[in-house]
Amino acid sequence: MTNRDYDGQGPLIEGDHNLRSISETIGDIPFLKIKDTPKQWFIGALMAFGVLQLLFLCAGYLLFKGIGIWGLNVPVAWGFAIINFVWWIGIGHAGTLISAILFLFQQDWRTSISRFAEAMTLFAVACAGMFPLLHLGRPWLFYWLFPYPNSMGMWPQFRSPLLWDVFAVSTYATVSVLFWFTGLVPDVATMRDRAKNPIVKSVYGLLALGWRGSARHWHRYEICYLILAGLSTPLVLSVHSIVSLDFAVSVIPGWHTTVFPPYFVAGAIFAGFAMVLTIMIPVCRLYKVTDFLTDRHLNNMSKVMLLSGLIVAYGYALEVFFGWYSGNPYEQGMILNRFGGPYNKAYWALILCNIIVPQFLWSYKVRTNPVQVWIIAQFISVGMWLERFVIVVMSLHRDFTPASWDAYAGTKWDWGLYIGTMGLFMTLVFLFIRIFPMIAMFEVKEVHHKSQHGDHH
Amino acid sequence: MKTPKTSYADGPDSMNLVTMRKRLDALDLHRDHDLVASVEVPTEVEDFEVDRRDFFKIASGAAALAGLTACTKQPIEKIIPYVDAPEDLLPGRPLFYASSFTKDGYGYPVLVESHMGRPTNIEGNPDHPFGNGGTDIYTTASILDMYNPDRSQSVLRNGRSGATVSQFQATLAALRPAWDANKGEGVAVLIEQQSSPTLEKVIKAFSAKYPKASFYNHNPAQSTNAAEGLKKAFGKAVTPRYNLAKAKRILDVDANLLGHGAAMNQHLADWSSQRNLVEQAVVSDDHGAHGGGAHGDAGHAGDAGHESKGTHSAKASAGEADKQRGSWGDDGTHSSSHGAPMLAKADMNRLYCIETNYSITGAAAEHRLTATPSRIAELFKEIARGLGVAVAGQPLFQHVVAGGHAEVDLPSDSEYAEKFVTGVIADLKAHAGECVIALGERHSAELHAMAGAINKALGNVGQTVDYVPSSLIEFPNSGGDLTDLTKAIEGNKVESLFILDSNPVYSAPADLNFKSVLTGIVEPSEDDETKDDDKKPRGDDKKPEGEAKAEKASEPVDRKLALVMHAGLFADETAACANWHLPLAHFLEAWGDVRSPDGTYSSVQPLIQPLYSSALSLVELFGILADETGTSAADLVKETAASAGAEGDDAWQTLLHDGFIAGSAAKAASVRTPHENLFFVKSEDADEKDAPAVSGDTELEVLFEIDPAAWDGRFTNNAWLQEMSNPITTLTWDNAIAMSPQTAKDLGFADAKKGYPNRTAVEPKTSTIVLTVGDRTVEGALLIQPGHANGAITVTLGHGRETAGPLGSNTGYNAYTIRTSDNLWITKGTAVKGKGMHKLAMCQDHFQMQGRTRNHIRTVTLDAIKEDSHAVQHLGHKFPKEFTLYPPPEEMLTDSVQWGMTIDLTRCVGCSACQLACNSENNTSVVGRNEVLRGREMHWMRIDRFYENGGDPFRENVRVRTQPVACVHCENAPCETVCPVGATVHSNDGMNQMVYNRCVGTRYCSNNCPYKVRRFNYLQYYDYNGRSAQENMMQNPNVTTRVRGVMEKCTYCVQRVNAARIEAKKEQVREGLEELPLKDGAVITACQSACPTNAISFGNISDPESEVSKVRRLHDLTYGLLSEVNTRPRTLHLARILNWNPDVEAAPAAGHKSGPDIDEHGGDVKQGDEKKSHSDEEKSEVHGEKA
């Protein structure tokens, strides 16, 4: 029985699926025997784990020696660490957006991707969260940023955006974990029921919190999920807004601008969707669950990317416009430095990656071609990193007095730590694939049900 | 004055954890444990049975033994209380002693801060007649030389330590019968120029004993040209002494009056005293305020002082001033009550400078002309002709006479030269009797004679220029200079050579081959020393010995030279070639005396016992040489002082207290007018010698300069000086070969494609140059120096040393290797591109202001500000107005002390003395070349330098603007709001404070600081564990040293503020006062104290009578750097006012009254940026209407 296109926007599930086959296709992945596990998983997981070691090495040496091993200097006192922090935090946003906002808007197409995206959120936040700690001059005193009662009688300084960051990111991480875990409960229960190994069964059983699938459970689950979705929704907007305030609150030309909060949020969604696509397209191919990642998903996600990309482009345009319109020579100098300064290649590459390349997404054919979408997603990921480079480094390296201007470049330790966090991210992704159903089975079943019976019950 | 060493070394200071750990490490407990484990346990383990009782025995034994680690045997140290405590010595309170630092034989008056018997900081002696209480960089940094762990610590015999002074005396004793017999023939002493009267006395005593012992002089940093020339002109040996305090016009021809030479600090002080617009303006200000302002006019304010200042109370005038303070920032809202221009009748001196390489003087000059050395000679002759000194030769600028320059194809720079010379001639003529013509010592004696003649002809002598007899010692039986010594050695006339405080092996002219002259004769085989050596042969020493012998074998002559003794602060290159090396005492460790450059008798007193027991002063050393060690150095000095005028104990105590004998300065000699025909006699051939020999197009004039940091090489191992941002170039840890952008382009250096490159790489690389002079070459890094003369190259002496110590060795190149004794200062050479690239660690990478000069370093002409008192404020007009709801700081918290600073750019020359003083006072870390390359220098006080080239990067005549920038202690500090842990906060008294302990190192404050004056400890720069004891002793105990990961910055010397506050509070309680009796001047910051031109004022800005408040009220002059960011800086800068001569350089762009403003985007002076100027004018007009 083919799945109907019940809402006239293209099918959400392809192939001939029933409830059982859905459970089998998705839910059996964690139960795959070693010989059945795709070789690519081993290769990928091993590589990711190898790269993870780079993180340990770079972070270890950093703690031993001090952040002088990085390429920082006095005008450019923030570099890779902050770029990467913002980049990773941004990537996380897609997950929350997909699971919370699209849930509230009852966008059914989110079902196939929400679990994965949420997991990515967590992993990205884990990667992001490391940087603010490591970038401290004295990281062992990081807890001084928390308002805890202490013998010094000291409180953190509440006017600092870095402190807002602490609250924003920690709240975001907490809510994201809760939200992800809550959404996982029904599926974990399914896994518990399907698991054969008693130990595995009991672990899943523990995580399933005694889920029996009763109507009352479902009722409470739905209310709880709705509340969490409601809680998460403002967080999508707040976290990156607050991260952007790290810059916007300062006086540095290129940072001191009111457009940052919306522009950062759009950028985060932009980057987040690109990352979801970057990971999901190959993984779905690998595990042959492409039935649940249909043209419609690609199409919709591409559209979101295109839209958020346009907002970002508008942000860039505004920066340039206000640079000129302000009449402020420092702002003008900053814009001219972006256009023609020593790092102008980064700026023009950013324009290419974030504005020009995504315009291909206007074409339906491109939007539904996984390979092309994946390539565009790569451009966007790079472009969003460059955007943070442009904002952080290019604003700092030439600010007010030319006497203090200097150049900046990441050292091998900067790159090592950055690549290392990718190792951490990928390691977590590969573990996630092996442990939890990467697609929300019960939600897909619901969609399947709708597609069989229409959306009118 | 001498303090027992026990007072600090055994005090609580030395009982810190670091030393404890060091001691534990030294005991090497770990190794012992390993030994126990590896040897004993395996044998015991075989039948290891224990019962319960044994177990407890062992356990308790183990516990007891574990406790033993806590009872590690500590070195026995005695804490002995003073039996008779030195007067005024209170723990925690520093004492200050007057003394003198000696360089090149001259003494520089200092006050040395001593904490419990250890000197920590050197500042100028404000009471001393020489200088102005300021210091120079060498004086400040000299304290580091004393504590330098690389200092020579023991007597070396053939390069090996373990010898003693008495062994050296024994060696001398063996030679003495021969000396006695032939009256010291064959004894040679090589010594620098000296002025110490006591030293003169002991030298005379030595010479009396051995009259045939000859003295040779070696002064690599000195030139004898001036002395020779003046002798020719005036018939007697005199040196010029310029009184710039009286000079209205100064022509500095390559003399670098403000940046070089013994009398530099006096020049700076005097020059700046004639640029003190603050004093001149304050009078008008008070007056204008009194006049009610509304009807004030220029003429009215002009006759300041018709009403005595006393008639209006301090409060009233302050109140008026506060009303006017609308312009404390640069919003340009000047109150109409302002009245007449403050500077309506202001007057100041005018400095002209002609030079080859950019110097501090050139940067400070109103008008500067760039010329090669030979061209300078021509220009100087032209000026001499113009000023009525008959000089042979044709006028340079015939076209001027001809009434146009159509027939001569002149580049624009030449056109400028022409105007410059004619303008200078006219100006000097108009100021005859109140001008100074100073010529650089490197120029020929003939020109110096001419300079003397000009000064005489203009009637300057006796007014602004004195010719005084030299205060240097005339050595008895002088053999001449190093060249003569070399000849003497080669002629077998020297048997024993004593090299005192000199390093000729490094600094000798290359053609003398001084090293091989010396090393040909090491290890005299018949001496018993060699036998000693043979008894204890060492593997390491075999080879050099063999080499030395091989060299000796290659020497054709069998030299008589049997003994070479070297004495110095460091075991340097010369020490390595000597049989004996004796460590010299630092001036802080020895008794002595010296004459300051003006001839004033000044005392040198020890503040600490010599750190190394064998260290001797030169006076003591001569006692040993003459075998007369009976009288102590202190007694000798006392005797000398008595004969110099300080007779009796009281006078002696006064001398030690004051540091000098008043009125002992050298008296001016009367000089005749030089013969009219002196310069006619000079034939054209002689002129030819000065003119450049026109040959191949690559032949360049090569100029030798003393390195601003390393001097002649004696400070190469001084980390503070090495890391000092070099005046003009901002280069650190290196020297470079400087040439103009045009010359570099002509020579094909890619670096010069765009003129002066903005350094955009992280560690920018420059080409290297192979410079060939005669048959000698040297390779160094290229430095493109805007404002350098085309067709000339400047190399600096003092770098490229081989054995200067871990810091100073192998920095830069050694220019002595191409310096020959016949051309010590100016020569010719060719330059080609070298092979590799070199990284130059410069503190600044961008030397152009990107169109921001107008606002940042505001410069206006004196005429402009007289015409329009708002000229300075107009320069900030392109920025948005500052707005704040809060009153200005001086009004905000008048009930408490409010600290503030002003920096007067009219008087600042960018000499870096403030930077060094800050380093010394605040224990700032030296980070090393690599970290400077990465842009992590830790200077709290930086000195920005910008070139203005009028849009043409290849222009020869460019301007330099300098500006010291430290934390400005913003009222509305961007750093404070962004620190998440509150580590940088505002104090009640208005200081932006940095709490090191609270800092976690987010560096957000640094990012958000528009001035970028915050410095971050990216690595553990302050090495707690690896620091030597000496370095620890040097630290200012009142300033916390900073760990890695912590931000730091200028604190306004908060430790000094607090010290003064504590004193004031004590007085307050004692006297029962209501207000804190903190007087103006009670706190002097380190930079302020060091500043030789008094450009920095610091004090309580809520006190309307304080110096700093008076300066702040000069709204016509003050501006807050970057106050358009609404930071409301506490440190205000005073605009740079130039006494511009419109005949020399065109007045700034038409309609733009604000002054010279040539910046990168602004185009040439003439073209200006018309649009900008117009809009400025419009604005000022609008503003005028409002007013």
Side-chain angles (χ1 to χ4, degrees), chain B residues 690-712:
Chain B
D690 286 323
V694 184
S695 59
D697 52 355
T698 49
E699 177 108 310
L700 299 155
E701 288 182 53
V702 178
L703 198 66
F704 292 94
E705 268 186 5
I706 296 298
D707 190 85
W711 197 247
D712 58 1

Side-chain angles (χ1 to χ4, degrees), chain A residues 63 70 77 160 246 251 330, chain B residues 936 978 1003-1004 1008 1044 1124:
Chain A
L63 295 174
W70 290 347
S160 171
D246 288 349
V251 300
Y330 305 125
Chain B
R936 295 175 183 168
V978 297
R1003 307 182 300 291
Y1004 199 174
N1008 209 25
R1044 144 196 161 194
E1124 60 269 18

Side-chain angles (χ1 to χ4, degrees), chain B residues 862-1036:
Chain B
L862 187 61
D863 290 341
I865 201 160
K866 276 182 183 175
E867 256 175 64
D868 175 5
S869 58
H870 301 156
V872 172
Q873 310 307 333
H874 293 327
L875 292 171
H877 268 165
K878 74 175 150 184
F879 294 95
K881 281 187 183 177
E882 177 184 311
F883 50 89
T884 177
L885 295 174
Y886 296 102
E890 54 265 48
E891 274 182 22
M892 255 163 70
L893 292 158
T894 43
D895 56 330
S896 67
V897 177
Q898 295 299 308
W899 300 107
M901 185 183 271
T902 55
I903 300 175
D904 186 353
L905 298 181
T906 308
R907 286 189 278 174
C908 171
V909 294
C911 68
S912 295
C914 50
Q915 187 177 74
L916 261 285
C918 181
N919 274 4
S920 174
E921 169 71 17
N922 291 304
N923 302 338
T924 50
S925 297
V926 168
V927 295
R929 179 170 174 270
N930 285 339
E931 290 295 290
V932 176
L933 269 171
R934 288 181 198 135
R936 295 175 183 168
E937 61 274 6
M938 299 295 277
H939 305 136
W940 286 5
M941 172 68 96
R942 68 165 204 260
I943 294 152
D944 293 352
R945 296 169 176 90
F946 297 102
Y947 298 113
E948 297 168 293
N949 52 28
D952 173 14
F954 294 104
R955 198 186 158 94
E956 209 180 356
N957 290 291
V958 305
R959 282 185 171 275
V960 166
R961 293 189 188 197
T962 62
Q963 181 180 41
V965 183
C967 175
V968 295
H969 294 261
C970 309
E971 215 61 48
N972 187 13
C975 52
E976 288 170 16
T977 50
V978 297
C979 175
V981 290
T984 184
V985 288
H986 224 67
S987 72
N988 284 346
D989 43 10
M991 283 193 268
N992 170 249
Q993 297 177 321
M994 187 64 224
V995 189
Y996 305 129
N997 282 348
R998 182 66 182 167
C999 179
V1000 298
T1002 66
R1003 307 182 300 291
Y1004 199 174
C1005 51
S1006 169
N1007 284 344
N1008 209 25
C1009 172
Y1011 308 90
K1012 291 288 177 286
V1013 287
R1014 291 178 155 264
R1015 302 293 180 195
F1016 190 68
N1017 289 274
Y1018 278 104
L1019 296 168
Q1020 185 62 62
Y1021 296 132
Y1022 189 94
D1023 186 357
Y1024 287 93
N1025 297 322
R1027 261 184 118 78
S1028 61
Q1030 296 97 315
E1031 287 167 291
N1032 283 332
M1033 283 163 69
M1034 186 182 64
Q1035 306 303 317
N1036 182 350

Side-chain angles (χ1 to χ4, degrees), chain A residues 62-79 135-142 144-145 150 152 154-163 245-252 255 327-330 333-334 342-343 396 398-409, chain B residues 758-762 843-846 848-850 852 855-856 878-880 931-937 942 944-946 974 976-982 996-1004 1006-1020 1043-1047 1121-1122 1124-1125:
Chain A
L62 176 80
L63 295 174
F64 171 71
K65 191 81 186 172
I67 53 168
I69 63 168
W70 290 347
L72 302 169
N73 50 37
V74 160
V76 190
W78 283 357
H135 107 291
L136 291 180
R138 304 200 284 174
W140 48 92
L141 299 175
F142 74 94
W144 285 2
L145 270 78
N150 59 70
M152 295 179 282
M154 284 291 295
W155 279 76
Q157 209 266 100
F158 285 95
R159 288 181 299 172
S160 171
L162 285 188
L163 191 70
L245 293 182
D246 288 349
F247 306 107
V249 161
S250 80
V251 300
I252 301 301
W255 286 12
N328 183 329
Y330 305 125
M334 176 272 296
Y343 297 108
L396 284 176
R398 293 188 166 184
D399 61 344
F400 292 96
T401 48
S404 55
W405 291 2
D406 211 336
Y408 169 85
Chain B
N758 276 340
R759 294 149 49 97
T760 51
V762 174
C843 290
Q844 198 173 326
D845 282 342
H846 293 265
Q848 272 142 10
M849 255 310 223
Q850 315 290 331
R852 296 171 186 185
N855 183 36
H856 286 195
K878 74 175 150 184
F879 294 95
E931 290 295 290
V932 176
L933 269 171
R934 288 181 198 135
R936 295 175 183 168
E937 61 274 6
R942 68 165 204 260
D944 293 352
R945 296 169 176 90
F946 297 102
E976 288 170 16
T977 50
V978 297
C979 175
V981 290
Y996 305 129
N997 282 348
R998 182 66 182 167
C999 179
V1000 298
T1002 66
R1003 307 182 300 291
Y1004 199 174
S1006 169
N1007 284 344
N1008 209 25
C1009 172
Y1011 308 90
K1012 291 288 177 286
V1013 287
R1014 291 178 155 264
R1015 302 293 180 195
F1016 190 68
N1017 289 274
Y1018 278 104
L1019 296 168
Q1020 185 62 62
V1043 294
R1044 144 196 161 194
V1046 163
M1047 192 62 76
L1121 177 63
L1122 285 176
E1124 60 269 18
V1125 190

